[in-house]
Amino acid sequence: MSTSLKSSRTRLGIEVLLDEKISLIKGQCVGLVCNQASVLPNLSHVADVFGGRDDFKLTTLFGPQHGIRGDVQDNMIETPHTIDERTGVPVYSLYSETREPTEEMLSNLDVIVFDMQDVGCRIYTFVYTMANCMRAAKKFGKKVIVCDRPNPINGVAVEGNVTETEFTSFVGQFEIPTRHGMTTGELAKMFNEHFGIGCELEVVSMEGWRREMWFEETGLPWILPSPNIPTVDTCVVFPATVHVEGTELSEGRGTTKVFELNGAPFIDPYAWVAELEKYDFAGVAFRHAFFRPTFQKWADQTCGGVQIHVTDRSAFTPVIVGIAMIKTAYDLYTEHFQWKQSAYEYVFDKNPFDVVSGTDKIRKQIEGGVALKKIEDGWAKEVKEFGELRKKFLLY
């Protein structure tokens, strides 16, 4: 690859590891945490590349939620342990009866390499799989190398409430805001140092990535990190409409515009759009829409709802927009509206919307008719404090 091509795009942490920093794993037995989006810029898969090297030995693969190939569709569908047909090494599922590697799983490796694409939102399990690997490494004397990848929705914007300790879960293990504005490598450092995991950690930074970048500006190929995050546009709206997962409204699963289409059979799209437009949110427009999911909530039923159209990503404030969507749906359709009825991410003793939100305050404010501005003002102080905390862990 020519120098000019290298300089025209972001170089991933995994590239830097395999080139300049190969000494970190040379001669070692390596376990790799990856999925289908763990590719190099030429689209070769990292597991295949690792399996073909003779300067270190790939002994173990670990797969996150949705499976190592990203083919498992929904939440709370566990994936089995298996053998990787191409490399011949065991694949241990970290979305199974265990979320944290056991001593047996780590018995045939010296170092864990984590190389996964995150979406830039707290409410997503991959960085907590990373944290669980770090905890296991601490327990059993292994090293962790996190190969950094871009935050696809930029590393500047921070928004949303900070998870409360009593509401931590596998979609929010630590007290961070909904949109954290950090990369996986930066979060690894924060988890390790500030939140006290304390494992032997090495973060391999990217080259040529700037905090203000959206993913399309990196020059890298986008590979969907999970079945319902098909595009960067999905990542952009995800911190808004992931809140819909905590309700019985459809977040568009079973459509071709997941997280962009939202609604239910009892919703009048025109009325919902009219209420949302009263807030005059910057950078977003709401289109009245009808859609019929092919699976999951309201499968094979026509739903009325809205499609989110982001017109200016930099001006768009997804978290408060998402809360506004829930609040207006609740206010318009109180008799029909329901919080999600089944458990969310294996939390059986809390309201699923509270698990998504990382607090019960927002749900109670919505039920109590509290003004949206007051809800947003309620997280301003903690966001400011987090903004100060994160500074010491920023790598770019």
Side-chain angles (χ1 to χ4, degrees):
M1 183 173 292
S2 69
T3 303
S4 61
L5 183 56
K6 280 187 178 181
S7 63
S8 68
R9 63 161 176 81
T10 297
R11 288 190 73 219
L12 296 168
I14 191 69
E15 295 179 83
V16 176
L17 174 66
L18 290 172
D19 294 338
E20 292 92 319
K21 296 198 173 184
I22 191 62
S23 62
L24 291 173
I25 56 174
K26 190 171 183 178
Q28 302 285 297
C29 291
V30 176
L32 176 65
V33 188
C34 63
N35 69 357
Q36 75 289 340
S38 304
V39 300
L40 292 165
N42 65 1
L43 298 179
S44 59
H45 194 274
V46 171
D48 297 338
V49 173
F50 273 37
R53 298 285 289 244
D54 57 12
D55 47 353
F56 60 87
K57 184 178 181 182
L58 177 68
T59 61
T60 317
L61 291 168
F62 296 98
Q65 184 181 13
H66 304 293
I68 200 163
R69 305 197 186 282
D71 56 330
V72 180
Q73 177 62 234
D74 208 351
N75 299 329
M76 293 182 67
I77 299 179
E78 296 177 345
T79 51
H81 309 305
T82 185
I83 299 293
D84 181 56
E85 292 182 7
R86 189 166 183 88
T87 61
V89 305
V91 179
Y92 292 114
S93 170
L94 298 181
Y95 200 79
S96 59
E97 76 280 358
T98 180
R99 305 289 176 89
E100 181 178 309
T102 64
E103 185 174 15
E104 181 182 0
M105 292 176 183
L106 299 179
S107 63
N108 198 26
L109 60 86
D110 304 304
V111 58
I112 302 169
V113 174
F114 182 92
D115 180 47
M116 294 195 60
Q117 178 61 57
D118 189 41
V119 299
C121 179
R122 177 193 71 211
I123 310 161
Y124 204 67
T125 61
F126 291 173
V127 295
Y128 308 118
T129 292
M130 176 179 72
N132 287 350
C133 288
M134 292 164 63
R135 291 189 185 94
K138 171 67 174 177
K139 286 181 188 175
F140 304 117
K142 308 297 181 178
K143 182 175 181 176
V144 177
I145 297 174
V146 173
C147 296
D148 215 359
R149 286 181 176 262
N151 183 324
I153 57 174
N154 84 50
V156 176
V158 178
E159 185 197 2
N161 65 293
V162 170
T163 297
E164 297 173 8
T165 304
E166 59 268 38
F167 289 94
T168 56
S169 70
F170 199 47
V171 289
Q173 285 188 2
F174 303 100
E175 293 81 359
I176 61 176
T178 315
R179 188 175 178 186
H180 47 69
M182 299 176 74
T183 67
T184 52
E186 292 170 341
L187 286 170
K189 285 171 60 65
M190 177 181 279
F191 296 168
N192 205 45
E193 298 171 32
H194 179 73
F195 291 110
I197 293 178
C199 73
E200 184 181 356
L201 173 69
E202 178 99 23
V203 175
V204 181
S205 298
M206 297 175 283
E207 295 178 355
W209 186 76
R210 301 185 307 278
R211 305 210 71 81
E212 68 273 15
M213 280 181 166
W214 299 88
F215 191 88
E216 294 94 338
E217 298 174 278
T218 65
L220 297 167
W222 174 258
I223 310 295
L224 69 173
S226 61
N228 291 295
I229 305 287
T231 67
V232 180
D233 285 340
T234 322
C235 292
V236 173
V237 302
F238 184 75
T241 52
V242 66
H243 293 90
V244 180
E245 287 194 341
T247 75
E248 289 298 330
L249 303 177
S250 169
E251 64 276 8
R253 291 177 188 266
T255 77
T256 57
K257 287 290 184 180
V258 63
F259 292 112
E260 295 179 54
L261 287 168
N262 301 266
F266 55 82
I267 285 179
D268 175 353
Y270 291 87
W272 199 13
V273 167
E275 286 301 305
L276 288 168
E277 286 180 340
K278 290 178 182 178
Y279 290 110
D280 196 27
F281 289 116
V284 65
F286 302 96
R287 180 183 71 87
H288 61 271
F290 294 92
F291 61 95
R292 183 175 292 196
T294 58
F295 58 84
Q296 232 235 29
K297 299 175 190 171
W298 305 111
D300 300 319
Q301 298 184 57
T302 298
C303 296
V306 301
Q307 181 178 352
I308 295 181
H309 291 262
V310 177
T311 57
D312 182 346
R313 286 181 178 180
S314 296
F316 178 48
T317 50
V319 182
I320 195 60
V321 168
I323 300 302
M325 292 175 68
I326 305 300
K327 175 175 169 54
T328 50
Y330 181 91
D331 290 347
L332 286 168
Y333 304 104
T334 307
E335 292 183 6
H336 300 285
F337 182 97
Q338 289 184 307
W339 305 110
K340 185 174 174 64
Q341 299 299 293
S342 57
Y344 188 82
E345 286 298 342
Y346 295 91
V347 179
F348 296 93
D349 62 343
K350 291 182 175 64
N351 181 296
F353 185 80
D354 298 349
V355 178
V356 173
S357 302
T359 179
D360 61 358
K361 290 186 176 65
I362 293 174
R363 173 179 56 83
K364 290 176 178 178
Q365 288 172 318
I366 290 170
E367 292 173 339
V370 173
L372 188 69
K373 183 66 166 62
K374 186 172 181 180
I375 295 174
E376 186 176 24
D377 288 346
W379 66 55
K381 180 176 181 289
E382 57 195 29
V383 166
K384 183 178 180 181
E385 291 172 350
F386 179 82
E388 289 300 311
L389 167 66
R390 73 196 274 273
K391 287 180 181 178
K392 67 181 289 189
F393 301 106
L394 300 184
L395 299 170
Y396 311 93

